[in-house]
């Protein structure tokens, strides 16, 4: 197979291409049309078709010879637990939990929020929803009660399934109290909560509302798979938008199943039966796609790892897991490798392990710096593949597709567009840019299967945010260029989204939290370069006249406020108090210029700046935190 041929066919004959790929999925009813384009710019894949995603991910493998194969391997260095769950066991556990949810009134189309750490029950809960045709929305454990409450109000779940606690290397995360507070804050109240009581910190159950996982399952009968329309939502996953209100990215059942299974073979080059490991979290899109759905749809063994790349117990943790379970292909974020490289630059820990079946490492979630890429290649001696995608697409927009044809690697580039994605670089008027010229990265419609068909409950926002910049194109929000060989280079975001340790955050929502402090007159948040996490958020704050509080106290209060308002995952620790913020004459805060100053990048004095002297004050303030060292 040649990449060029496969790619060209995917764009020239999308219906033939994806119709063929869809043969790998089991359907109760075939589709009427592979691509329904009757309502442009909205497209629907496999309209008229019916399937069940859980059946495809679990039951069919039990029926076709994989019953005793491990579906999930749970490895938790933070609790000292290991567990192997076969496809048969997984089917039985999922069917029973689906029965439990059904008894609580959950049916097709109902929403269920899942707020859980990296334990197999998180996957069981997700698959049980899929089995019933209910729509799950997993919320990452590093978010605060306030963020959880926003999601509860938007998704309006009938039931919430939560763990009682999460285990971070240095502390226990009190999920249950966080959940209780979120329900207190939210206007919508779930009818019931099912709590997985973990021995490390069981939660206090609220009578009449909460029941333990065991109580929920007691007396429940296993539930069968419910056929759903290909276009019905499988899940909602909230991701940072440009305001404090997150975007509820919707994933359908049909297109998702087809693209997930196709990508396992063609992007990752993995065969059914192999062990595939995505070291991420079920709360992120990487976790949805490549811890849960894609490996299981493809009949692989997936690993649920509750630990970190370093410190649990050492920087050899990833090598141990790869060797212990014979992992063929691994996927993680560059930041994890930067953490390993920092603690064990010569990869001494690697010598203790035999990575005999390990073939390839895939990295995504943030820009992969060439140093980290080359370090990983040197120590692992396997292809290290940077690939680019986002919550909205659910799979790679650009990748070196190992299952099609391995193309030469160019460090700094996630290679060429994946089949189905017609990636274009456009200028602000919609004109196409030449090779090497940086512009907005757009994708010509239709997007391939698995990409978001809409935003939950807000089609208007979907069209406004993604489809309105240039007619017929999807706005990725990234800026970059293609070189003369068609390789894509992702350079920056065009909005206020920053990427902290592979986690996507909006500086706009950090600003909303900072601005809510009673002593703050105005503020700006920017992402500054960080050696480990790629970027870190930094807040610049102007106080109201007359506030004479001690600045250290104020800074502590602001840091605490962001931790409470967004969550520890924001890693918000940098804040400076300044007298004023640099603005254009029309009042727009010059965040981009401040970021460049902080990162010691070249910058030019904006022609529209109100008062250039402010930038000297900003530089001096940033220097107190160790930034803006040049000049
Ligand atoms: N539940 C609750 N809190 C969590 C959490 C979770 N699931 N995950 C992280 N946090 C907390 C951390 O404990 C930390 O809190 P602290 O401020 O009290 O220390 C905070 O959120 C920041 O976490 P993180 O950015 O992950 O930093 P870290 O110092 O704990 O670990 C790395 C650093 C590089 C090891 C870690 O970021 C990592 O492994 N990253 C991989 C990224 C990844 O998987 N991205 C997903 C997209 S592919
Ligand atoms: P998320 O939705 O959390 O997956 O974040 C998506 C965003 O992360 C993208 O729009 C990019 O800005 C960034 N991103 C993801 N993968 C890469 C990559 N391989 N290279 C550069 N940026 C990336």
């Amino acid at each position: 197979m040649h990449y060029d041929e496969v790619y060209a066919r995917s764009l020239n004959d999308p219906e033939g291409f994806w119709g063929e790929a869809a043969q790998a999925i089991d359907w109760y009813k075939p589709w009427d049309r592979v691509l329904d384009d009757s309502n442009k710019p909205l497209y629907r894949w496999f309209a008229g078709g019916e399937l069940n995603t859980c059946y495809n991910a679990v039951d069919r493998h039990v029926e076709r010879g994989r019953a005793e194969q491990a579906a999930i391997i749970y490895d938790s260095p933070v609790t000292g637990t290991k567990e192997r769950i076969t496809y048969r066991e997984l089917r039985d556990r999922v069917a029973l939990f689906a029965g439990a949810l059904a008894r609580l009134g959950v049916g097709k189309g109902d929403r269920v929020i899942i707020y859980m750490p990296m334990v197999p029950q998180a996957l069981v809960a997700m698959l049980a929803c899929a089995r019933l045709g209910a729509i799950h929305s997993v919320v990452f454990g590093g978010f605060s009660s306030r963020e959880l409450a926003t999601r509860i109000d938007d998704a309006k779940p009938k039931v919430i399934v939560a763990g009682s606690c999460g285990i971070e290397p240095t502390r226990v995360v009190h999920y249950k109290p966080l959940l209780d507070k979120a329900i207190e804050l939210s206007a919508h109240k779930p009818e019931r909560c099912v709590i997985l009581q973990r021995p490390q910190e069981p939660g206090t159950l609220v009578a009449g509302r909460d029941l333990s996982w065991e109580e929920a399952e007691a007396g429940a009968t296993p539930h069968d798979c419910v056929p759903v329309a290909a276009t019905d939502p499988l899940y909602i996953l909230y991701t940072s938008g440009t305001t404090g209100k997150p975007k509820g990215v919707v994933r359908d059942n049909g297109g998702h199943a087809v693209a997930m299974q196709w990508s396992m073979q063609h992007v990752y080059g993995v065969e059914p039966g192999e062990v595939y490991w995505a070291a991420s979290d079920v709360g992120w899109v990487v976790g949805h796609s490549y811890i849960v759905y894609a490996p299981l749809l493809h009949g692989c063994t997936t690993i649920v790892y509750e630990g970190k790349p370093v410190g649990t117990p050492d920087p050899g943790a990833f090598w141990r897991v790869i060797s212990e379970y014979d992992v063929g292909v691994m996927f993680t974020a560059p930041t994890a490798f930067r953490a390993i490289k920092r603690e064990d630059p010569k990869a001494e820990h690697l010598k203790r392990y035999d990575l005999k079946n390990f073939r390839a490492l895939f990295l995504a979630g943030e820009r992969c710096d060439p140093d980290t890429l080359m370090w990983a290649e040197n120590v692992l001696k396997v292809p290290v593949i940077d690939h680019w995608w986002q919550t909205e697409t659910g799979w790679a927009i650009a990748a070196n597709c190992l299952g099609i044809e391995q193309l030469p690697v160019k460090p700094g580039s996630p290679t060429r567009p994946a089949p189905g994605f017609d990636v274009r670089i456009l200028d602000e008027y919609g004109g196409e840019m030449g090779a090497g010229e940086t512009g907005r990265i757009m994708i010509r419609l239709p997007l391939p299967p698995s990409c978001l068909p809409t935003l939950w409950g807000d089609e208007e926002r979907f069209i406004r945010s993604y489809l309105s910049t240039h007619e017929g194109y999807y706005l990725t929000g990234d800026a970059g260029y293609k070189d003369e060989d068609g390789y894509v280079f992702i350079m920056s975001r065009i909005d206020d989204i920053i990427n902290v340790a592979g986690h996507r955050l909006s500086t706009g929502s950090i600003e909303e939290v900072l601005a809510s402090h009673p002593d703050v007159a105005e503020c700006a948040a920017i992402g500054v370069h960080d050696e480990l996490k790629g970027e870190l958020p930094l807040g610049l704050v102007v106080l109201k006249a007359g506030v004479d509080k001690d600045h250290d106290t104020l800074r502590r209060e602001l840091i605490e406020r962001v931790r409470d308002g967004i969550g520890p995952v924001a890693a918000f620790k940098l804040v400076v108090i300044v007298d004023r913020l640099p603005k254009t004459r029309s009042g727009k805060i010059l965040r981009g210029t401040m970021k460049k100053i902080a990162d010691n990048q070249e910058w030019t004095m904006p022609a529209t700046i109100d008062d250039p002297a402010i930038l000297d004050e900003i530089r001096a303030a940033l220097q107190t935190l160790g930034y803006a060292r040049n000049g």
Side-chain angles (χ1 to χ4, degrees):
M1 260 192 301
H2 290 293
Y3 163 84
D4 284 328
E5 281 163 34
V6 178
Y7 183 67
R9 173 152 188 253
S10 76
L11 298 192
N12 298 337
D13 177 20
E15 297 209 63
F17 188 91
W18 292 111
E20 240 165 60
Q23 305 296 335
I25 294 297
D26 283 58
W27 302 81
Y28 297 115
K29 177 174 172 290
W31 50 90
D32 301 324
R33 290 190 67 180
V34 174
L35 178 64
D36 176 1
D37 60 358
S38 58
N39 188 25
K40 287 178 186 169
L42 306 175
Y43 295 82
R44 294 289 181 267
W45 287 98
F46 306 106
E50 283 182 15
L51 76 162
N52 182 281
T53 298
C54 178
Y55 175 79
N56 278 280
V58 184
D59 300 53
R60 65 169 174 164
H61 302 310
V62 180
E63 292 163 14
R64 294 182 206 155
R66 297 194 186 281
E68 304 317 320
Q69 181 195 311
I72 299 174
I73 289 168
Y74 170 51
D75 185 295
S76 168
V78 292
T79 60
T81 319
K82 292 177 187 179
E83 191 184 352
R84 181 179 180 275
I85 302 168
T86 64
Y87 269 101
R88 185 196 305 281
E89 284 159 355
L90 181 62
R91 181 201 54 194
D92 294 345
R93 286 171 69 166
V94 170
L96 185 61
F97 195 65
L101 287 177
R103 262 206 326 178
L104 297 178
V106 175
K108 205 189 224 178
D110 289 329
R111 274 81 58 214
V112 174
I113 279 192
I114 299 173
Y115 185 55
M116 295 186 88
M118 283 293 288
V119 291
Q121 287 87 345
L123 283 71
V124 169
M126 292 165 80
L127 291 162
C129 290
R131 195 172 190 87
L132 295 173
I135 303 165
H136 62 69
S137 186
V138 183
V139 179
F140 177 61
F143 281 124
S144 66
S145 295
R146 184 175 158 273
E147 290 283 335
L148 178 56
T150 311
R151 288 154 175 78
I152 294 174
D153 275 333
D154 199 68
K156 300 192 173 45
K158 194 170 242 179
V159 168
I160 297 183
V161 183
S164 60
C165 68
I167 320 286
E168 284 289 290
T170 52
R171 69 196 161 94
V172 170
V173 186
H174 314 292
Y175 276 67
K176 185 57 175 48
L178 285 165
L179 171 67
D180 291 341
K181 191 169 160 212
I183 297 176
E184 219 177 281
L185 291 172
S186 61
H188 171 86
K189 309 290 177 197
E191 287 169 23
R192 307 303 292 265
C193 296
V194 179
I195 308 297
L196 175 72
Q197 296 284 32
R198 302 191 79 188
Q200 293 80 6
E201 185 181 277
T204 311
L205 302 185
V206 174
R209 187 195 72 190
D210 300 348
L211 60 174
S212 70
W213 186 284
E214 287 75 21
E215 283 167 346
E217 282 187 340
T221 43
H223 205 293
D224 218 341
C225 296
V226 175
V228 298
T231 50
D232 280 343
L234 169 68
Y235 68 77
I236 309 165
L237 179 57
Y238 288 90
T239 189
S240 302
T242 46
T243 64
K245 187 172 184 281
K247 291 169 166 166
V249 168
V250 172
R251 194 83 59 215
D252 64 9
N253 273 276
H256 172 254
V258 171
M260 285 298 105
Q261 177 152 14
W262 186 89
S263 72
M264 281 303 283
Q265 193 185 335
H266 296 89
V267 177
Y268 300 97
V270 171
E271 295 297 324
E274 284 196 279
V275 183
Y276 177 91
W277 179 27
S280 177
D281 189 288
V282 285
W284 304 116
V285 67
V286 175
H288 281 63
S289 293
Y290 293 107
I291 294 174
V292 188
Y293 288 109
L296 295 179
L297 284 162
H298 201 45
C300 292
T301 300
T302 186
I303 295 184
V304 173
Y305 175 68
E306 190 181 26
K308 302 270 173 179
V310 294
T312 57
D314 56 43
F318 277 12
W319 323 141
R320 173 188 66 79
V321 173
I322 295 173
S323 95
E324 194 167 329
Y325 305 113
D326 253 344
V327 171
V329 170
M330 179 188 187
F331 178 172
T332 192
T335 192
F337 267 74
R338 287 198 295 268
I340 299 171
K341 181 174 74 158
R342 192 168 74 165
E343 287 205 8
D344 184 16
K346 297 209 174 100
E348 299 289 348
H349 285 269
L350 190 54
K351 294 182 188 144
R352 293 192 280 139
Y353 302 101
D354 180 4
L355 275 46
K356 57 185 177 308
N357 281 332
F358 190 52
R359 289 202 306 282
L361 169 69
F362 282 77
L363 298 172
E366 57 178 323
R367 188 174 158 73
C368 180
D369 52 294
D371 269 3
T372 303
L373 184 105
M374 284 183 295
W375 183 82
E377 255 175 13
N378 281 339
V379 303
L380 291 171
K381 312 223 171 341
V382 296
V384 178
I385 311 289
D386 175 19
H387 60 330
W388 165 57
W389 51 300
Q390 37 184 222
T391 305
E392 289 84 343
T393 62
W395 64 292
I397 311 168
N400 201 337
C401 295
L402 284 195
I404 299 176
E405 178 191 6
Q406 191 178 338
L407 300 173
V409 169
K410 295 194 190 189
S413 166
T415 319
R416 292 172 63 185
F421 290 96
D422 190 355
V423 176
R424 306 289 178 104
I425 314 292
L426 301 188
D427 65 21
E428 58 187 306
Y429 308 106
E432 202 143 340
M433 317 275 290
E437 291 176 343
T438 299
R440 291 177 178 147
I441 313 184
M442 315 272 306
I443 305 169
R444 237 176 104 95
L445 299 177
L447 295 170
S450 169
C451 295
L452 79 173
T454 189
L455 291 177
W456 180 252
D458 205 348
E459 195 125 279
E460 190 271 326
R461 187 179 184 195
F462 171 59
I463 294 173
R464 178 166 35 90
S465 311
Y466 296 103
L467 305 179
S468 301
T469 312
H470 301 297
E471 202 185 325
Y473 290 89
Y474 164 86
L475 178 72
T476 64
D478 285 308
Y481 63 92
K482 278 201 232 173
D483 72 4
E484 58 291 348
D485 299 321
Y487 279 58
V488 184
F489 289 76
I490 316 299
M491 303 312 288
S492 60
R493 290 285 305 191
I494 57 171
D495 50 20
D496 67 356
I497 282 170
I498 58 170
N499 208 309
V500 179
H503 310 318
R504 173 166 157 181
L505 297 169
S506 143
T507 53
S509 65
I510 295 174
E511 288 176 4
E512 276 180 31
V513 178
L514 293 174
S516 70
H517 189 287
D519 295 335
V520 170
E522 61 175 345
C523 63
I526 56 175
V528 293
H529 176 74
D530 182 72
E531 281 298 324
L532 175 66
K533 297 193 178 183
E535 278 187 295
L536 279 180
L538 183 150
L540 299 110
V541 170
V542 179
L543 301 181
K544 285 183 181 154
V547 172
D548 59 359
K549 214 186 253 173
D550 167 60
H551 282 193
D552 281 344
T553 309
L554 253 170
R555 271 195 291 269
R556 268 198 305 277
E557 285 177 13
L558 290 165
I559 289 168
E560 205 43 48
R561 192 169 271 255
V562 173
R563 198 176 167 93
D564 270 2
I566 295 176
V569 67
F572 183 76
K573 303 205 164 76
L574 302 170
V575 52
V576 284
I577 295 168
V578 292
D579 290 335
R580 45 197 188 145
L581 290 169
K583 292 183 188 166
T584 61
R585 269 176 236 118
S586 59
K588 200 167 167 283
I589 296 175
L590 292 162
R591 295 180 181 78
T593 309
M594 291 195 287
K595 175 181 168 53
K596 286 196 173 131
I597 294 176
D599 289 347
N600 302 310
Q601 285 173 10
E602 267 185 41
W603 59 280
T604 44
M605 182 67 71
T608 54
I609 190 165
D610 189 27
D611 177 1
I614 303 181
L615 290 177
D616 292 329
E617 297 168 23
I618 296 293
R619 183 184 303 110
L622 291 169
Q623 282 172 344
T624 63
L625 294 178
Y627 292 88
R629 277 182 233 101
N630 289 356

